[in-house]
Amino acid sequence: MVVRSAGEARRTRAVPTASIRYEDTSVREVPFRQLRLADFRESRPWREVRSVHGMPHYSGKYASATTGGHVVYESLLELARLLLADFDPEVEGIFAQPCRLAAQVGDRVRHHVPDFLLAMRSGTVRVVNVKPADRLQDPKIVEALAWPGELLQCHGWDYEIWSGADRVLMENVRFLAACRRPGVVPESEVERAWQQVVDGEQLGLAEHRLAGDKPAEEARPPLLALLWSGRLTTDLSRPLSGESVLRRRA
């Protein structure tokens, strides 16, 4: 691995490269064919994300249950994709703005910073670019997103261009996210609910049964925490309600 200054990293290269920033402020340029997931350990986002009053986009930091830390985003659409990644039990690592790609495309060198890199439990890597659907009608945007996809797929990594998800699904996931962080719902209550919940039972009935003599809503947070973690599942394409059917996941 070659360590270079930020200025040197900007020089054009015929060989595709990925430049990565690290917490110690160094920038490392890796030939793309040698790039591995391990290269992103101790890395930081390529750009500094600041939220300034009057900006047309909303940026910020999301407290991720998957990473146990904060992940930056630069728009509400990016935040939505980040929320789904955090909710996905198959995702075990999330890196925002993981690197800056450089490659010869046609007669010039192009640069690109992907929005997210997702490390999957299966061992695969998925790189995600987030763009509103209306912007994908612009040929320049399509071209700018195409060459990184070709480069990544030739490397054996998955590539995704994401423009949004079903509104009901997103509302359900946002609701469940309130219970995403460890300690928000006491672990003893979560385990008690897990031991007692019946496969195929409706959420409302489970709440009443688990609550006993207490108000039914007191039994709701542990069930929601189990839904967030994926130990329980239900049809999230419909609004979450007392009629939602719970399924135990092995």
Side-chain angles (χ1 to χ4, degrees):
M1 181 181 294
V2 181
V3 180
R4 305 180 186 275
S5 68
E8 290 176 314
R10 294 191 186 96
R11 295 176 185 172
T12 58
R13 299 287 193 280
V15 175
T17 62
S19 296
I20 306 172
R21 292 191 191 279
Y22 290 90
E23 293 293 346
D24 63 4
T25 73
S26 66
V27 175
R28 298 176 185 175
E29 186 180 77
V30 184
F32 197 80
R33 65 178 179 274
Q34 298 177 16
L35 188 64
R36 299 293 182 267
L37 181 60
D39 292 316
F40 296 94
R41 292 174 185 164
E42 306 298 327
S43 67
R44 60 184 299 176
W46 181 258
R47 292 189 294 266
E48 290 289 338
V49 174
R50 295 184 176 89
S51 181
V52 180
H53 180 70
M55 287 178 61
H57 301 292
Y58 295 90
S59 59
K61 296 180 179 180
Y62 169 79
S64 168
T66 300
T67 67
H70 288 91
V71 183
V72 300
Y73 61 90
E74 292 187 307
S75 70
L76 293 181
L77 192 61
E78 283 191 17
L79 176 58
R81 183 62 185 90
L82 181 53
L83 198 62
L84 290 179
D86 204 30
F87 179 62
D88 188 347
E90 299 305 314
V91 174
E92 64 178 5
I94 304 173
F95 301 87
Q97 300 178 23
C99 61
R100 187 183 70 164
L101 304 175
Q104 183 85 33
V105 181
D107 59 355
R108 64 192 181 106
V109 171
R110 303 288 297 270
H111 298 92
H112 177 74
V113 179
D115 293 319
F116 298 110
L117 181 150
L118 307 179
M120 314 302 288
R121 296 192 185 280
S122 63
T124 62
V125 175
R126 179 179 303 163
V127 176
V128 181
N129 273 317
V130 177
K131 279 289 180 288
D134 59 351
R135 295 196 66 189
L136 295 178
Q137 305 305 312
D138 185 338
K140 292 183 179 180
I141 298 295
V142 173
E143 179 188 7
L145 295 177
W147 71 263
E150 294 176 5
L151 183 65
L152 290 158
Q153 289 171 340
C154 287
H155 192 57
W157 288 3
D158 294 338
Y159 183 59
E160 174 187 316
I161 299 174
W162 193 83
S163 298
D166 176 74
R167 178 183 59 82
V168 173
L169 171 64
M170 289 306 311
E171 289 180 352
N172 284 332
V173 174
R174 289 189 186 99
F175 179 69
L176 293 176
C179 298
R180 70 185 184 276
R181 302 186 71 181
V184 171
V185 182
E187 188 61 30
S188 60
E189 295 182 14
V190 175
E191 288 305 315
R192 173 176 172 272
W194 173 247
Q195 294 299 325
Q196 296 187 24
V197 70
V198 177
D199 185 69
E201 190 173 30
Q202 291 184 335
L203 176 59
L205 293 176
E207 289 176 354
H208 281 284
R209 189 169 55 77
L210 268 63
D213 296 333
K214 298 178 181 179
E217 57 267 22
E218 291 191 17
R220 186 172 303 160
L223 294 170
L224 298 182
L226 288 168
L227 284 168
W228 170 266
S229 68
R231 295 170 74 183
L232 288 180
T233 63
T234 193
D235 182 4
L236 295 179
S237 67
R238 298 181 177 183
L240 196 62
S241 72
E243 297 180 354
S244 297
V245 176
L246 303 177
R247 293 293 182 186
R248 295 174 66 93
R249 185 174 181 177

